[in-house]
Amino acid sequence: MHDNDMDTKSTRRVEIVCFTVEEQDFCIEISHVLEIRGWTSTTTLPHAPEFVVGMMNLRGTVLPVVDLSLRLGFGKTEPGERHVIIIAQIDEKVVGFLVDGVSDIITVDEAEMQVAPDVSSARTQAFLRGVHSVDDKLVRAIDVREVLPQAARPDA
Amino acid sequence: MNDLNDMFFQECDDLLEGLSSGLDDLENGSGDEETVNSMFRAVHSIKGGAGAFGLDQLVGFAHAMENVLDDVRAGRLTADENIVALLFTASDHLSDLVDAARNGSDVPQGQGASILSDLKLASGVTDGDPATEAAGAKEELPAFEPLTLTVDGALPELDELLSPAAPEVTVITFRATPQLYANGHDPALLFRGLEDLGNLTVEADLSSIVPLRDAPWSTPSPSWKIRIVPDDSVDEAAIRDVFEFVDGLCELEISAETAPPDNAVAALVDGAPEAEGPSPSAGPGQGVLTVVDPAAGTRKTQAARSSTIRVDLQRVDRLINLVGELVIAEAMLRQSMDELPHSANGRVDEAMNQFKQLSGAIQESVMAIRAQPVRSLFQRMSRIVRETSREAGKSARLVTIGDATEVDKTVTERLVEPLTHMIRNAIDHGLEVPEKRRAAGKDERGTVTLEAAHRSGRVVITLRDDGAGIDRARVRQIAEEKGMIRLEDDLTDPDIDNLLFRPGFSTASEVSNLSGRGVGMDVVRNEIQALGGRVSLQSEPGNGTSVTISLPLTLAVLEGMLVRVADQSLIVPTLPLREMLQPGQARIHTLCDGDRVLALDNELVPITDLGAALGYRDGAGCIEQQSLLLIEGDSGRRSALTVDAIAEQREVVIKGLEQNYQSIPGIAAATILGDGKIALIVDTDQMIALPVKSGAADRPAPNVTGDAFHA
Amino acid sequence: MTRILAIDDSRTMRSMLQSALADAGFDVDLAEDGVDGLEKFESTDPDLIITDINMPRLDGFGFIEGVRRGRHVSAVPILVLTTETGAQLKQRARDAGATGWIVKPFDEDKLISIIQRLVA
């Protein structure tokens, strides 16, 4: 919270959760993250987009799990023990993001976020807000609302 | 203040409900004196609260209504048909005003003006009548006693009048009657009140006091002479104000002392010490009457009244959710125990059974918290009947049966819209105009009956009208014109009736202002289905139509059959389930295009492979190894669902899918099984409505990212 | 501490009285109609009573009658809450044995000052 006290117009320091999908680094703001869980089996949904893996039970709450790899234009994930589900709250909805693994929680300066370089597919591009340079890595910031299934978005 | 505000509006709701039920009693002749009294009190309380919140419009209207009720109560006015009708209209408007106040909006003045003037006319207060206007005005003004100024001799010079008045001594002579003491007054406190107005001396005149032993209650009490030098700006009215409450309970004289100031007064003006702290409490009057038996507190007649508390609905919902979790946890525990080697001892089993019973009982009690009688819902409908029949130029009354039937609060709230629409339909399309009714030998006034009852674990709400019934020829004609059916289609009467539930169907020859608001019975059906209910319709030409809604008691729990389909666990609600068949028992025919049907009771029932319909597999399963579930929808249409295996019947806690995701075709909701896994609950009505060809409703052609939902 | 019994069948009004009186440092007991009021009167022995007039079961006048001429005669000050200011009502209140009246909607300061003038 001290970070906020030192805010000026040019800096907005935020904590981000970094994770990997297909060996690439991505992140979302920690304010969205409710918890991080190991893989649990989900129930397949009929008539659902393929990137919606299924519904999971989080202590009585039923929520959809999105395969971020497939959603971002990489291959379909064959989930197993080593995979991780990031439970995120986006507006009123709670959603799980299936990722390969969570690597770090770091603080970055939002103002220094850059436009994503044109290295990934157009689809990936559409789901990114930008990139942070962390050490010598590029960490892509996911637009959490964009990656949700359209109809499940709060404003849909 | 906000809490108070909320409380006031909640109370208004209760009071309006009471008012409405009182009116119903008056209308059907079962009202008595207390009915009118309680109606009066309801309106009076609304007025009182509204005044406190400065809701002037509401105060004014409630006041006029209160006058009429007061006249009825006092017998000055007979509660005949016209008055009751007026009161109904007025109570509707009152309810509008309350709503407007709640939303912080104003109802346009003109809207209630005619009702207001009708009310005033009824209670004999006319706008133009100066006498009554004046009487009304008098009521609003604070009590005002005119002062008589006695001017001796010539008028004083103007500048004399304007100069600050020299301290004038006012002399007050005061003698209390016994009643003054009996009413809880204390002269000492009155004099203390005078102290705030200026310097004073008090002298008791004890001459009238007789020895105590000779004194009966009614003996004249002492009198006092008080001399006061009023502070600036204190006039006689202010002095009289102190005595306002004892007016009529004492002899009181107030006069200005004209004589040159005597010593006492001089001392007063100087603020003599003896003027401080008057001690007139020596009067024998007080103390005599305040005899309170200390044992009085022991007499207690505890009235047996059911007490209620108000609880935020969110808290109840949280409790219900938690209890749902408890039930699931119990099932999970049970399942884990069943998986243990069978050495488990009997005591654990016994404890588990107790646990199960307890959690079941808790669940039931918690659900009961949300249960509410449908009374208030039905009362809202009586207004709809009045308004609609007025607009449609028809005469109708509402009869309610079983309004004590309890239903989940959420259900009653969500029934308002569909019921409103059904009632508008019944009056607008169902009831005939008075002339036609007379010609048919019916009472000119149509009857709409709203009935609620509990039937085999469900709530059944029926709306009946005694109108003309559905004009099936006309319905058919419209459906043909709209291309909903073909000319050569052979339709049974129920088939035709069910056309009314089809989207976009409206039988009104001209677009009516009432029910034809772009919504049809299909919207009603959707609403009811969203509540887990069914709607059906019966009609008899000439005798009327009835629409029946059947609803689950609570929204949270459902009785279902756990089945396996394509390695998935699914729940099929037991309600529409008619029969379970093994293929060996059933006659299955394969039609030329591969579709299969079940021959049952001289009828061919389409077979739908549940796994294929939900897109879990491409083709139908091997039917010889499957089971058939015969289900029947609201429309009476039947369908047979094939499943791979039937596990067991169980009660499940419903978890909505929309909260975190979206609705899914063919799926009503989800639940959590004993092992913590999620099972989806099949929407049987959608399954019945599916095209016969199994597998036709396959999953949307998935592209790489499956963005079919981005449409 | 001065103990006041406030009787009104309106929940809202009871709450308003409760908060106004408690803020002024009085001990407050509440009752919801005349019958309830009489019970509370006997069990709490208040220093002053404020009562509504129009109430179910037993109205304000009936309540006052019960206090003044009931089994236990009491001269406890009783204020009636009324929406009317007409002379007729005042006369009726006085005849019934009321000590004074407060016109609804009441001003809190005025209410408190009236009470303070009636309790020693």
Side-chain angles (χ1 to χ4, degrees), chain A residues 93-119:
Chain A
K93 307 229 174 201
V94 181
V95 184
F97 291 122
L98 174 64
V99 300
D100 290 346
V102 169
S103 51
D104 212 350
I105 296 174
I106 53 170
T107 306
V108 293
D109 188 343
E110 180 83 344
E112 283 169 21
M113 187 163 69
Q114 297 151 20
V115 178
D118 194 15
V119 292

Side-chain angles (χ1 to χ4, degrees), chain A:
Chain A
M1 287 304 112
H2 275 293
D3 292 341
N4 282 339
D5 296 342
M6 301 189 295
D7 263 3
T8 65
K9 274 179 197 131
S10 59
T11 61
R12 188 173 91 88
R13 300 188 72 73
V14 290
E15 277 191 290
I16 52 171
V17 175
C18 302
F19 53 88
T20 52
V21 173
E22 290 292 312
E23 291 170 0
Q24 302 207 33
D25 295 295
F26 293 90
C27 70
I28 63 175
E29 277 186 36
I30 204 165
S31 58
H32 285 295
V33 179
L34 296 177
E35 61 182 284
I36 294 161
R37 297 176 58 90
W39 166 253
T40 53
S41 69
T42 58
T43 297
T44 313
L45 291 174
H47 310 298
E50 221 178 337
F51 63 84
V52 176
V53 184
M55 297 301 267
M56 73 174 278
N57 165 22
L58 179 71
R59 291 185 299 278
T61 302
V62 175
L63 54 102
V65 177
V66 169
D67 180 351
L68 267 189
S69 169
L70 189 55
R71 184 55 163 158
L72 295 172
F74 306 107
K76 185 174 162 66
T77 307
E78 289 304 329
E81 294 282 312
R82 61 186 182 87
H83 288 99
V84 167
I85 298 174
I86 299 172
I87 310 290
Q89 168 127 32
I90 297 148
D91 301 321
E92 299 296 304
K93 307 229 174 201
V94 181
V95 184
F97 291 122
L98 174 64
V99 300
D100 290 346
V102 169
S103 51
D104 212 350
I105 296 174
I106 53 170
T107 306
V108 293
D109 188 343
E110 180 83 344
E112 283 169 21
M113 187 163 69
Q114 297 151 20
V115 178
D118 194 15
V119 292
S120 31
S121 73
R123 177 158 298 282
T124 313
Q125 210 75 332
F127 295 141
L128 297 185
R129 294 172 51 237
V131 292
H132 295 289
S133 298
V134 180
D135 301 333
D136 53 350
K137 291 189 296 187
L138 283 184
V139 181
R140 296 158 176 81
I142 303 243
D143 187 329
V144 284
R145 287 181 185 80
E146 276 300 314
V147 295
L148 291 187
Q150 190 89 1
R153 286 183 203 164
D155 54 0

Side-chain angles (χ1 to χ4, degrees), chain B residues 248-533:
Chain B
L249 302 175
C250 62
E251 294 162 22
L252 185 68
E253 273 173 41
I254 300 178
S255 57
E257 194 164 68
T258 46
D262 60 21
N263 290 340
V265 175
L268 259 178
V269 175
D270 294 342
E274 66 262 32
E276 305 293 320
S279 54
S281 48
Q286 64 146 10
V288 177
L289 292 179
T290 47
V291 183
V292 175
D293 184 348
T298 57
R299 187 183 63 128
K300 290 283 282 179
T301 44
Q302 289 287 359
R305 257 175 299 155
S306 73
S307 55
T308 56
I309 55 163
R310 284 182 174 262
V311 182
D312 188 344
L313 201 55
Q314 277 181 356
R315 291 194 200 176
V316 177
D317 285 345
R318 179 163 162 68
L319 184 61
I320 287 177
N321 277 334
L322 286 172
V323 172
E325 297 316 314
L326 180 71
V327 172
I328 291 167
E330 182 250 352
M332 285 169 77
L333 183 56
R334 161 74 60 180
Q335 191 158 337
S336 319
M337 280 180 53
D338 288 348
E339 284 162 8
L340 289 175
H342 205 68
S343 61
N345 68 49
R347 273 167 56 197
V348 177
D349 250 10
E350 200 181 308
M352 266 310 294
N353 281 336
Q354 212 170 348
F355 181 29
K356 185 182 165 69
Q357 275 182 7
L358 273 175
S359 60
I362 293 173
Q363 191 176 20
E364 222 168 274
S365 327
V366 169
M367 293 302 178
I369 297 178
R370 290 188 57 105
Q372 274 197 329
V374 292
R375 186 174 298 113
S376 60
L377 172 70
F378 281 14
Q379 278 175 357
R380 285 178 77 166
M381 292 307 127
S382 76
R383 173 175 187 177
I384 306 293
V385 170
R386 286 197 297 281
E387 287 178 353
T388 312
S389 50
R390 192 165 54 230
E391 284 173 48
K394 294 176 183 177
S395 174
R397 66 189 182 115
L398 178 72
V399 174
T400 59
I401 302 172
D403 55 8
T405 309
E406 291 193 333
V407 183
D408 189 285
K409 182 175 163 58
T410 312
V411 177
T412 49
E413 281 166 2
R414 288 178 60 181
L415 277 176
V416 173
E417 294 258 328
L419 273 186
T420 302
H421 190 75
M422 282 159 58
I423 285 182
R424 287 197 175 127
N425 258 330
I427 294 173
D428 207 18
H429 305 314
L431 294 184
E432 313 91 327
V433 291
E435 305 84 69
K436 271 198 186 167
R437 290 183 65 88
R438 205 180 326 124
K442 293 183 185 177
D443 184 352
E444 275 185 31
R445 195 179 196 196
T447 302
V448 176
T449 309
L450 198 50
E451 177 172 4
H454 280 158
R455 220 167 284 155
S456 56
R458 289 180 72 85
V459 181
V460 177
I461 294 174
T462 312
L463 178 77
R464 263 192 310 276
D465 66 66
D466 64 348
I470 293 172
D471 183 349
R472 297 203 171 101
R474 174 102 187 95
V475 169
R476 190 182 169 121
Q477 189 195 336
I478 289 169
E480 280 165 8
E481 282 166 10
K482 298 202 172 193
M484 294 165 129
I485 52 168
R486 286 166 305 186
L487 230 58
E488 64 274 21
D489 279 340
D490 183 21
L491 297 179
T492 60
D493 285 352
D495 283 344
I496 294 175
D497 295 349
N498 275 311
L499 288 172
L500 294 175
F501 289 112
R502 297 274 285 272
F505 191 95
S506 173
T507 51
S509 338
E510 60 220 80
V511 176
S512 126
N513 188 27
L514 300 173
S515 41
R517 287 178 190 170
V519 283
M521 287 296 282
D522 59 315
V523 175
V524 172
R525 170 166 283 183
N526 289 346
E527 275 290 316
I528 301 300
Q529 280 175 348
L531 290 170

Side-chain angles (χ1 to χ4, degrees), chain B residues 584-707:
Chain B
Q585 305 167 255
R587 286 190 293 141
I588 295 168
H589 303 284
T590 305
L591 304 181
C592 52
D593 58 356
D595 287 339
R596 289 171 300 187
V597 291
L598 175 70
L600 196 76
D601 315 327
N602 298 324
E603 192 191 333
L604 292 178
V605 179
I607 296 176
T608 304
D609 185 273
L610 200 49
L614 292 175
Y616 287 139
R617 59 184 166 215
D618 285 336
C622 176
I623 202 159
E624 280 69 36
Q625 285 158 29
Q626 290 180 313
S627 300
L628 287 169
L629 299 177
L630 182 69
I631 53 172
E632 186 178 318
D634 298 324
S635 55
R637 269 174 69 179
R638 298 196 289 182
S639 181
L641 302 178
T642 58
V643 300
D644 299 347
I646 295 172
E648 57 171 337
Q649 188 168 340
R650 60 157 64 200
E651 201 168 69
V652 297
V653 178
I654 298 172
K655 301 276 178 183
L657 289 167
E658 286 92 345
Q659 193 189 341
N660 290 320
Y661 185 56
Q662 63 195 52
S663 63
I664 302 171
I667 299 297
T671 189
I672 297 169
L673 299 177
D675 58 5
K677 295 232 170 65
I678 293 169
L680 300 176
I681 302 170
V682 176
D683 186 330
T684 50
D685 279 314
Q686 286 189 32
M687 285 298 153
I688 292 166
L690 276 178
V692 177
K693 192 173 169 62
S694 54
D698 215 336
R699 72 162 61 195
N703 53 25
V704 183
T705 48
D707 258 14

